């Protein structure tokens, strides 16, 4: 029996993550089309809250010794999602360079 096969829980998490990522992209596109300025303001708030949460995870070491690696990995993935969904670099809105967003 393979021990490296994903568990049902891991597969469900991957699927949920994929569906949420697609829904976020669709929602961001619709919001941007409806009211670009309001969408930009909302995106800025979401991006800032996300950066603050990742920094807190690192500062509090809430995931133990791997907290920084976890935050950086999650931060890269979320940043890619935001940049794709929002249509321009996250750095332009948050003022936080990609390499310094976390840690």
């Amino acid at each position: 029996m393979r021990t490296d096969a994903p568990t049902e829980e891991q597969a469900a998490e991957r699927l949920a993550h994929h569906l949420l990522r697609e829904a976020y992209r669709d929602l961001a596109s619709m919001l941007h089309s409806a009211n670009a300025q309001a969408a930009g303001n909302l995106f800025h708030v979401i991006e800032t809250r996300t950066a603050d949460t990742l920094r807190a995870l690192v500062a509090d070491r809430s995931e133990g010794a791997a907290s920084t690696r976890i935050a950086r990995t999650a931060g890269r993935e979320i940043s890619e999602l935001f940049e794709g969904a929002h249509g321009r670099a996250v750095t332009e809105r948050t003022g936080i360079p990609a390499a310094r967003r976390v840690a």
Side-chain angles (χ1 to χ4, degrees), residues 52-103:
D52 291 346
T53 299
L54 292 172
R55 279 191 212 97
L57 184 141
V58 172
D60 298 343
R61 296 181 55 82
S62 54
E63 295 297 326
S67 293
T68 299
R69 285 192 310 278
I70 291 168
R72 285 192 175 144
T73 300
R76 276 192 300 275
E77 187 171 335
I78 291 169
S79 181
E80 289 173 10
L81 170 63
F82 287 168
E83 289 174 7
H86 302 171
R88 60 184 169 145
V90 173
T91 301
E92 293 175 24
R93 287 184 297 281
T94 64
I96 303 168
R100 299 195 48 155
R101 279 189 211 127
V102 180

Side-chain angles (χ1 to χ4, degrees), residues 41-61:
N41 292 338
L42 177 61
F43 297 155
H44 177 76
V45 169
I46 291 169
E47 292 162 4
T48 300
R49 182 180 309 138
T50 300
D52 291 346
T53 299
L54 292 172
R55 279 191 212 97
L57 184 141
V58 172
D60 298 343
R61 296 181 55 82

